[in-house]
Amino acid sequence: MPDVPGPGPSSGAAIQRLLVPGGVLVSVAAAFAYVGVVDPNEPGHYPVCPLLRFTGIYCPGCGGLRSAHAFVHGDFAAAVQDNALAVAGYVLFAVLWVVWAVRAARGRPLRIDPRPAHLWALGVLVLAFTVVRNLPFGGWLHP
């Protein structure tokens, strides 16, 4: 019988290394599928943001579920309108997940080691987004 090339020992190890990134992807896809099916625009399906309810201030996450719902349905303009920061987060997650999966398949760890300046910049961005969306001229950022 001729030798038939089959999966080598490294392919089994690569599959095993992809279990965690695959599990994360399945979990995120399931969450997006749920939000895609259960419309957050219908009252009673999701809790109300407590900050918005008690103070009238939009937090950085306000509109995130509506944004995810619109994103799942391919309405990217509505997704950005509902929460532009969340859409940037979806894209960033997708890029980081691909990098993670490729590195895991190759047996290399994913190292995300942001410098303090990067963390401060992210904090300033989230704070600026929150402040601007709550000012009168930032109405275009309201969910």
Side-chain angles (χ1 to χ4, degrees):
M1 230 173 161
D3 286 334
V4 177
S10 65
S11 67
I15 291 171
Q16 190 173 15
R17 288 189 301 262
L18 286 172
L19 287 176
V20 173
V24 169
L25 181 63
V26 167
S27 299
V28 170
F32 268 84
Y34 180 81
V35 172
V37 171
V38 181
D39 189 356
N41 295 305
E42 297 292 324
H45 292 296
Y46 299 99
V48 177
C49 173
L51 185 67
L52 181 62
R53 181 175 185 185
F54 295 119
T55 66
I57 296 173
Y58 294 108
C59 77
C62 279
L65 288 173
R66 286 177 289 221
S67 174
H69 181 78
F71 196 86
V72 166
H73 289 276
D75 190 355
F76 302 119
V80 170
Q81 172 63 41
D82 288 332
N83 192 321
L85 194 59
V87 174
Y90 309 152
V91 173
L92 180 63
F93 171 81
V95 169
L96 286 175
W97 186 88
V98 169
V99 170
W100 181 26
V102 168
R103 290 187 65 85
R106 293 180 178 168
R108 297 181 182 154
L110 176 64
R111 293 205 174 144
I112 300 175
D113 191 21
R115 295 184 177 133
H118 295 134
L119 296 175
W120 278 101
L122 179 62
V124 167
L125 174 71
V126 171
L127 182 64
F129 175 75
T130 304
V131 169
V132 170
R133 77 186 319 204
N134 285 290
L135 292 174
F137 65 85
W140 58 278
L141 290 174
H142 289 182

